[in-house]
Amino acid sequence: MPEGHTIHRLARRLHESLGGRPVVASSPQGRFEAGAAVIDRCTLQRTEAWGKYLFCDFGTGELLHVHLGLIGKFRTREFPPEEPTGAVRLRLVGEDTTWDLSGPTRCELVPPDEQDRIVGRLGPDPLRRDADPSAARAGLARTDRPIGATLLDQSIVAGIGNVYRAELLFVCGIHPARPSSSITDDEFEAIWGETVRLMRIGERSGRITTTDPEEIGRPRSRMRREDRLYVYHREHCRRCGTTLRTDRIGGRPITHCPSCQPARRRRSTRSR
DNA sequence: CGATTATGATTAA
DNA sequence: TAATCCTAATCGC
C-alpha cells in the first residue's frame, strides 16, 4: 500500500524496532546478497522518508535506498524468523523483530550524494516538518497540465499517489481536468492543508481514510472499508450517490464525482 | 492453473 | 504513450 504515508510510517517503525542495535541482514532471495552483506551486523542509526523514497543509514558510509513501487512490501514477520515463503529481497532481524522486504522497485546502497540527487528531484513532502509548499504552489502556477496530473508528479509534490490524488481532489471539490494554472491561492491552500491532514491520518493508522467521521456516523477506527473513501474504486459517490466518472489523467485512471467536482469553478455563493 | 490486478516509476519510442 | 520491472492475492475457467 505504498503512498507517502506508508513510507513515513515505515521509516518510523523500522527505526523504533531496529534502531540502536546491530541487525542481521540477509537476502533470502539472493538478489541483494552483496548489499545485505555490507549492512549485516551494522547498527541502524537513522531512517528518513521523502515522499515515497526511504533511506536507512547503517553507518557504513552508504545508505540503503528502498522504493516500494507499486507492489513492494516491507512487513514484519514472526520472531524468531522462519524460512521465508515468497521472494524476500532483504530480511532484517533485530533483537525481537523480523522485517521482510519483497517486490521493491528499488533496493540498493547509494552514496550520500546520490541521496541528495534523488531528493533534489522531488517536490516538497507534505509529511515532512520542513516542508515548504511554496515550490509546489509555483509548480502548479506555471503549467497548464491538468491538476490531476501534477498532483501525481513527484517533482511537484512528493508522496501523493493514485488514491490520495483522487480523494484530495474530491475533498477539495476540484475537477481533475482543471488546468493546474487555474488553481487559485485558496484552492491551493485547501489542497495542501487537506494533503497534510489526510496523509497524517494515513500515517498514524496505516491505511487511507479520507471520509469525515461525522458524515459517516462512526469513528474512523470503526468504519467499514467501503465507507473510508469518497470516490476511489467506487461506482457511486459516497457523499451524494451520483454515478462517478473515471478518466485517464497523468497516465493513470482517476475517478471523480461530476456533481461534487464541477468542471468549472462554482461561482462563490454568498452565505447568508 | 493461468490471467488479472494493484496505493509506482523509469526507459524507450 | 507503451513497454517494462517487481510480487502476491484474487478471480475465472
Side-chain angles (χ1 to χ4, degrees), chain A residues 16 24 32 85:
Chain A
E16 281 172 2
V24 173
F32 190 55
T85 37

Side-chain angles (χ1 to χ4, degrees), chain A residues 201-217:
Chain A
I201 290 170
E203 181 187 358
R204 285 221 158 269
S205 65
R207 62 185 164 190
I208 302 178
T209 307
T210 60
T211 49
D212 179 358
E214 295 288 318
E215 185 175 351
I216 301 302

Side-chain angles (χ1 to χ4, degrees), chain A residues 50-51 122-128 130-137 154-159 188 192:
Chain A
W50 192 302
L122 298 174
D125 173 353
L127 285 179
R128 289 181 63 94
D130 59 6
D132 174 7
S134 60
R137 177 74 192 98
Q154 303 300 300
S155 71
I156 306 270
V157 187
F188 177 77
W192 185 266

